[in-house]
Amino acid sequence: MGIAYRDLVEAYAAVLNLKEAWTMCKKTLKFHLSRLGQNSGEVAHGRRLLGVLYTELLDHVNAMEQNQLSKKILKSWGMSSDLILLEIDPDNV
């Protein structure tokens, strides 16, 4: 169910319906948090995607916050800083 929600987020974002994408992304993140916990890959991916949406909405403070939370999850798995940058930063350009 959560993956289907995320696919919907990406579809909204692809057609630049950012408000709907943001709303659905928040729901998706809440769904994954409740079922998988703070340190799951789905939560990290959802936070990264939410950071992209905040960037597109020109809300750079919240984008940075979501990126930092995603990085924290990835670091807890032992991912190197270089790989984390490759995972997160290009999405926000």
Side-chain angles (χ1 to χ4, degrees):
M1 183 93 161
I3 293 171
Y5 284 160
R6 188 176 61 227
D7 289 344
L8 188 55
V9 170
E10 291 173 353
Y12 279 132
V15 296
L16 299 177
N17 189 341
L18 301 177
K19 185 176 180 180
E20 287 297 323
W22 180 84
T23 300
M24 184 56 66
C25 193
K26 295 288 280 186
K27 287 180 184 178
T28 303
L29 185 58
K30 184 177 178 180
F31 179 84
H32 284 132
L33 282 167
S34 70
R35 285 166 176 68
L36 304 172
Q38 291 283 342
N39 287 324
S40 76
E42 294 300 325
V43 170
H45 185 73
R47 291 196 181 283
R48 181 194 57 78
L49 187 55
L50 191 56
V52 170
L53 293 170
Y54 275 126
T55 298
E56 290 296 319
L57 293 168
L58 303 177
D59 186 346
H60 301 293
V61 172
N62 281 317
M64 180 70 80
E65 178 183 352
Q66 293 304 316
N67 285 338
Q68 292 301 321
L69 290 169
S70 182
K71 286 178 184 180
K72 183 178 177 182
I73 294 168
L74 297 174
K75 281 183 182 179
S76 75
W77 294 351
M79 188 178 279
S80 75
S81 294
D82 291 339
L83 288 175
I84 292 170
L85 290 175
L86 288 173
E87 175 71 23
I88 293 174
D89 289 341
D91 290 322
N92 289 334
V93 173

